[in-house]
Amino acid sequence: MDLIISLVINGLATGMLIFLLAAGLTLIFGLMDVLNFAHGGLFVWGAYTGVFTYTLTESFLIGIVAAILTGMILGFLMEKLIITPVYGNHVQQILITLGSMLVLQEMIKVAFGPNAIPVSVPDYLAGSWELGEVILIKYRLFIIIVGLIVFGIFHYILTRTKIGLIVRAGVMNKEMVQALGINIKKVFLFVFMTGAALAAIGGMLMAPYSGSIYAEMGMEFAILGFIVVVIGGMGSFSGSLFAAVLVGLAGSFMAYYVPSLSLAVNMILMAIVLIFRPQGLFKMAKG
Amino acid sequence: MGMKTTNLVSKYHIFFFVILIFLIAFPFVADSRTLTILFTQIFIFAILAMSYDLLLGYTGIVSFGHAMFFGIGAYATAILLNTFEPTIGVFIGSMIVGILLSAIVSFFVGLLTLRLKSHFFAMLTLAISGLLLVVAEKWRTVTKGNDGFTFRAPDIFKDRIVFYFCVLACLVIVFLLLRRFVASPLGKVLIAVRENEQRTRSLGFKTLHYKVISSVVAGVVASLAGSLYAVSLRFVNTSVMTMDITLDALLMTIIGGVGTLVGPIVGSVVIEFAQHYLSGLAREFPIFERWIIFFGIIYILAVVFFPKGIVGSIQMQISKWKSKKEVRKTFALPEDKERAS
C-alpha cells in the first residue's frame, strides 16, 4: 500500500511537470494550431535564465519571475518574426520552428556553456515529510500544487471569461472576430506569449526536480508535450491535465514493475489512445 | 503549343543529361575521397527524401515515422551481411528482405494510421516508429542496441568509386521509376487526395487505399536508401531509426521543394553541403564553433525567401516569366513588333 502511494505521488508530480510543459503547447499547438517545434527551446531558455537568476539572487521566486519574463520576451519575438508569416501553413511552420529551435538551443550553449548545470532545490522546499512508511518529498508536492493552480487559472480563463471566449472564437473564425472589431492579431500574440511563458515556467520548475539542466533537454520534453496534447485532445486543458497525469502515472508504475518497458510506455499509451479514440480523450475546446 | 511543350521537355532532358554526365565523370576528374563520399551520402539521402516527398508532396500527409523504414532496410542489410558471407548476392538479397519487410510493415501501419486526421496521423506514426526504436534498442542479441556493430561489406564495394556508381545508379533508377509513378493515373489520384480528399472520395475513389499504396511505395524506397546507407558506413546502430533521420528527410524535402521530385534531391545537396562546410569551418574558425546556429538561420531564411522550396520557387518564376511572354505574344505591342523586325 505504502509503495503504491509513493508511486502515485511520484507519478502525479511527474505528470504535473509534464502538464506545465504541455500547457503552453495546448495553447500554441492545440488552440492556435501552430506546430511549434521551438517549444523545447522556450522550455530550456526558461530553465537556464531562471536558474541563472536563482543562483544569483538566491531567491527561487525571483528565478521563476525571470523565467516568465524570458518566456514572454522570446514569445513576443518569435510570434512577431517567425510565426506571423506562417499561420495556417504546417509545412512551413515545421521548417521555420525547427530552425528557431536549433538557434535557441545553440544560443544556450553560447550564453551558458555546453555543460550540464547542477541545480539544487531551495531550502524551504527541500527535504520531505514522513507519514508512517510513506515519504512525501516536499518539492514534488509543491509541483503538484503549482500544476493544479495553473490548471485552475487557465481552465477558468478559457471557459468562463470574455478573453477566453474571444480566443476560442478567433481560433474558429479569424476573419469573423476581426470583423466584430477585435484586433485578433493582438489576441494571438498575447496567447502565444502566454504559451511561451508557461513553457518557461515548466522549464524552471523542472530544473530542481531533475537536478541538472542541459541544452538538449528541450527537444526530449517537447516531444513529450506534443504526445500529451494529442492524447488529451487538441486545445483542451482538462484533456492535457488528464493525459499528463496518465503519462506520469504510467511512467512511474512501469518503471517499478516492468522497467524494460518504461522507455516505450509513452508511445504505447499514445498508440492505444489514438487507435481507439482518434480525436483524443477529451473533445476539442473549439467544438 | 504542341511543338513548344516537346521543345521544353527536351530542354529539361538535356539539363538532366548534362548533370548526369557531370556526376559520372566526377570521380575521375576530381580525385577527392571526401567529396566522393559526400556525394554518395547526398545520393542516399536524396533517395530517402524523394520517398518522403511521395508522402508529403504528392499525397499531402506528414509522417513523423519515416525513419523506421530506413532503419528496417539498414538493419536488414547489416544483419544479413554480418551473418552470412559478405557477397554481392547476399547484399542484393538483404535489400530484397528489407524491401519486403518495409512493404509489410508500411502496409499494416498505413491501414492502422491513415484513417486519422493530419496531426493525429503524424503523432501515431511517431509513436509506432518510437516503439520500433525501443525494440531495436532492447533486442540486443540481434541489433547490439545503441552500441551498434560493424560488418564487412561486399569486397567490390571496398572501392569507394564502385559504390559511388552503384548508389548513383540506384538514384537514377528510383528517380525515373518515381517520376513514372507520380505521372501515372494512380499518381494523379494521389495528387487529388492532396488537393482535396473529400472531393476525391466523393468522386468514387477509396482514398484510404490510395494513401496506403503511397505509404507502401514510400516505405519500400526508404528501405532501399537504408540498405545503401548501412553499406556506406559498414556500421549500424539505433541512430538509423531516430527522429533525426525523419527530420532530415523532412527538411530536405521542404527546402528543395515539396511536390517535385527534383526538389528533394536539391534539398539533399544543399543540406549535406551546408553541413559539411559549416562543420569544416567550425574546425578552422572558433566563431563557427556553434555552426548549428547558422544551420538554423538557413532554415528560417529558406522559409522567408523560398516559401515553396528552392525548386518550387524557380518553377514559379519560370512560369510567371513564360506567361508574361505569352501575353506579350498575344497582345503584341507595336514597338515589340518593330523590335522583332
Side-chain angles (χ1 to χ4, degrees), chain A residues 33 37 90-92 94-95 99 102-103 106-107 109-110 114 226 230 234 260 264 267-268 270-271 274-275 278, chain B residues 56 64 112 116 119-120 123-124 126-127 131 134 138 247 250-251 254 290 292-293 296-297 299-300 303 307:
Chain A
D33 203 22
F37 275 98
H90 283 146
V91 169
Q92 290 184 14
I94 293 173
L95 184 57
L102 289 180
V103 173
E106 292 299 307
M107 289 300 275
K109 292 182 189 165
V110 172
F226 275 110
V230 168
M234 306 269 293
S260 57
M267 299 300 180
I268 294 175
M270 179 157 79
L274 287 180
I275 288 168
Chain B
L56 179 70
F64 284 150
L112 199 66
L116 300 185
H119 291 325
F120 302 105
M123 283 300 164
L124 193 51
L126 174 69
L131 284 178
V134 172
K138 292 280 166 191
L247 288 180
L250 178 69
L251 293 169
I254 301 178
R290 296 274 153 245
I292 293 181
I293 293 182
I297 292 173
Y299 291 165
I300 296 172
V303 172

Side-chain angles (χ1 to χ4, degrees), chain B residues 32-199:
Chain B
S32 160
R33 210 177 119 81
T34 0
L35 275 183
T36 313
I37 293 175
L38 180 68
F39 268 92
T40 314
Q41 193 86 347
I42 287 175
F43 298 155
I44 292 172
F45 275 95
I47 295 176
L48 178 70
M50 274 196 295
S51 77
Y52 194 83
D53 194 32
L54 202 60
L55 293 175
L56 179 70
Y58 285 96
T59 323
I61 45 186
V62 179
S63 162
F64 284 150
H66 208 53
M68 66 180 143
F69 306 117
F70 191 75
I72 287 173
Y75 269 113
T77 296
I79 290 169
L80 287 179
L81 282 179
N82 201 26
T83 343
F84 301 104
E85 284 296 297
T87 59
I88 194 89
V90 173
F91 171 65
I92 292 173
S94 75
M95 265 175 154
I96 294 169
V97 168
I99 284 173
L100 285 177
L101 275 177
S102 288
I104 295 167
V105 172
S106 60
F107 176 74
F108 285 108
V109 169
L111 271 188
L112 199 66
T113 58
L114 282 164
R115 294 165 199 278
L116 300 185
K117 286 215 182 100
S118 58
H119 291 325
F120 302 105
F121 167 76
M123 283 300 164
L124 193 51
T125 53
L126 174 69
I128 291 171
S129 79
L131 284 178
L132 227 63
L133 176 64
V134 172
V135 169
E137 216 136 273
K138 292 280 166 191
W139 198 4
R140 296 190 64 92
T141 47
V142 176
T143 63
K144 307 260 187 343
N146 195 23
D147 304 333
F149 60 92
T150 53
F151 57 91
R152 292 214 347 250
D155 283 335
I156 188 167
F157 290 151
K158 291 241 163 80
D159 188 354
R160 283 285 169 190
I161 294 179
V162 173
F163 188 60
Y164 172 93
F165 281 117
C166 254
V167 180
L168 179 61
C170 283
L171 175 68
V172 173
I173 292 168
V174 167
F175 177 74
L176 292 177
L177 285 179
L178 283 183
R179 213 172 64 144
R180 187 76 198 80
F181 178 75
V182 297
S184 69
L186 189 81
K188 296 276 183 258
V189 178
L190 293 181
I191 293 173
V193 171
R194 174 190 76 191
E195 292 300 320
N196 191 334
E197 189 175 347
Q198 252 177 350
R199 197 170 288 175

Side-chain angles (χ1 to χ4, degrees), chain B residues 316-332:
Chain B
M316 215 171 63
Q317 208 55 45
I318 289 177
S319 71
K320 220 190 232 169
W321 180 68
K322 248 171 45 191
S323 68
K324 231 182 214 166
K325 220 168 137 190
E326 204 74 14
V327 168
R328 281 217 144 167
K329 230 181 202 170
T330 328
F331 306 101

Side-chain angles (χ1 to χ4, degrees), chain A residues 95-164:
Chain A
L95 184 57
I96 205 164
T97 57
L98 267 175
S100 327
M101 176 69 203
L102 289 180
V103 173
L104 285 174
Q105 184 175 310
E106 292 299 307
M107 289 300 275
I108 282 279
K109 292 182 189 165
V110 172
F112 300 97
N115 301 325
I117 295 179
V119 188
S120 58
V121 180
D123 291 335
Y124 50 92
L125 290 173
S128 55
W129 291 301
E130 283 182 39
L131 287 178
E133 294 288 303
V134 185
I135 297 168
L136 299 173
I137 295 169
K138 280 187 197 169
Y139 192 74
R140 294 198 174 157
L141 292 177
F142 169 72
I143 286 177
I144 295 176
I145 293 167
V146 173
L148 285 176
I149 293 174
V150 168
F151 169 73
I153 294 173
F154 279 90
H155 192 69
Y156 177 78
I157 291 179
L158 215 55
T159 54
R160 296 272 184 276
T161 63
K162 199 172 170 214
I163 301 174

